[in-house]
Amino acid sequence: DAGVTQSPTHLIKTRGQHVTLRCSPISGHKSVSWYQQVLGQGPQFIFQYYEKEERGRGNFPDRFSARQFPNYSSELNVNALLLGDSALYLCASSGWSYNSPLHFGNGTRLTVT
Amino acid sequence: GIQVEQSPPDLILQEGANSTLRCNFSDSVNNLQWFHQNPWGQLINLFYIPSGTKQNGRLSATTVATERYSLLYISSSQTTDSGVYFCAAPTTQGGSEKLVFGKGTKLTVNP
């Protein structure tokens, strides 16, 4: 089975632009989470979606939004990009259980100039 | 919310050496995950270990939930073990569960 897939792998944007990142979970996984990892830090939780509904949101501004589609894939959108949004964006999927391990994709490396 | 602390922050080894990485967490948890992030950014599951000990080849992990810590052992280290090791503990927030990561231990294994 394929793992979590993310696209694109790398992206360069300028300040003020908008970006859309995509994620396909492991087959059978219904929960998708997004994490942001800035250089030198551990990943920080942004969103969790399950069955197309937002189940949790981290401490990120409203410029960050996401959605989940009927096939459980997900998009993360960031508006009005700032230099500080430069980071590795990781998508993870899991079965719906508080005891299910997360499986991460390879990430999208976003650079904002 | 839960705090996760890892030590040491940096570790340099010669190939073949053994090492122990530590993860302390501030609250009771019902599971604990260890990850390895390679130089290309891939975050790879190593262990999902709520309690007890698990082994996978040269790596093993022990979680003592009652004392709120977990240890990752790497034996006979290889250069491919280099990277950053993260532990992460779950916390619930409303109807969701998120992982809270430590800052990681950066391991460098020299040939």
Side-chain angles (χ1 to χ4, degrees):
Chain A
D1 283 343
V4 178
T5 58
Q6 293 187 242
S7 64
T9 55
H10 294 83
L11 203 51
I12 300 175
K13 292 285 190 178
T14 57
R15 281 176 296 176
Q17 286 189 315
H18 163 271
V19 68
T20 297
L21 310 181
R22 295 178 174 83
C23 171
S24 293
I26 291 172
S27 177
H29 283 187
K30 298 182 179 180
S31 176
V32 170
S33 300
W34 288 94
Y35 286 76
Q36 180 197 64
Q37 186 180 20
V38 298
L39 199 62
Q41 300 293 320
Q44 297 287 318
F45 174 75
I46 309 175
F47 285 110
Q48 183 189 30
Y49 275 77
Y50 177 71
E51 291 285 12
K52 296 166 286 181
E53 291 188 3
E54 180 182 308
R55 291 301 183 97
R57 183 188 184 107
N59 188 23
F60 281 82
D62 292 343
R63 300 184 296 106
F64 288 76
S65 64
R67 56 179 175 169
Q68 187 177 32
F69 299 99
N71 66 354
Y72 304 112
S73 67
S74 178
E75 284 182 353
L76 175 69
N77 296 284
V78 186
N79 292 324
L81 285 167
L82 304 174
L83 295 179
D85 295 331
S86 296
L88 180 66
Y89 288 85
L90 294 161
C91 174
S93 75
S94 68
W96 180 251
S97 166
Y98 290 153
N99 291 321
S100 296
L102 285 187
H103 298 271
F104 284 85
N106 290 344
T108 294
R109 192 167 297 278
L110 173 65
T111 302
V112 182
T113 62
Chain B
I2 191 170
Q3 305 293 317
V4 178
E5 295 183 354
Q6 293 185 243
S7 59
D10 295 278
L11 190 57
I12 299 174
L13 302 174
Q14 287 300 121
E15 201 167 24
N18 302 327
S19 62
T20 301
L21 283 59
R22 187 177 179 101
C23 173
N24 293 330
F25 38 95
S26 60
D27 293 322
S28 300
V29 297
N30 57 14
N31 71 69
L32 192 290
Q33 286 191 250
W34 282 96
F35 296 90
H36 174 222
Q37 190 166 43
N38 65 24
W40 298 271
Q42 286 181 290
L43 201 61
I44 299 166
N45 283 37
L46 295 177
F47 294 101
Y48 172 80
I49 181 167
S51 63
T53 298
K54 290 187 177 180
Q55 182 149 10
N56 184 3
R58 296 180 295 104
L59 274 61
S60 65
T62 296
T63 295
V64 184
T66 54
E67 297 187 22
R68 300 179 183 173
Y69 73 88
S70 184
L71 302 174
L72 178 68
Y73 305 95
I74 304 174
S75 64
S76 304
S77 58
Q78 300 176 358
T79 55
T80 52
D81 295 331
S82 296
V84 183
Y85 290 80
F86 290 101
C87 68
T91 184
T92 56
Q93 178 180 326
S96 75
E97 178 180 88
K98 67 175 184 179
L99 282 184
V100 177
F101 284 78
K103 292 186 176 181
T105 292
K106 183 177 180 181
L107 175 64
T108 302
V109 181
N110 292 320

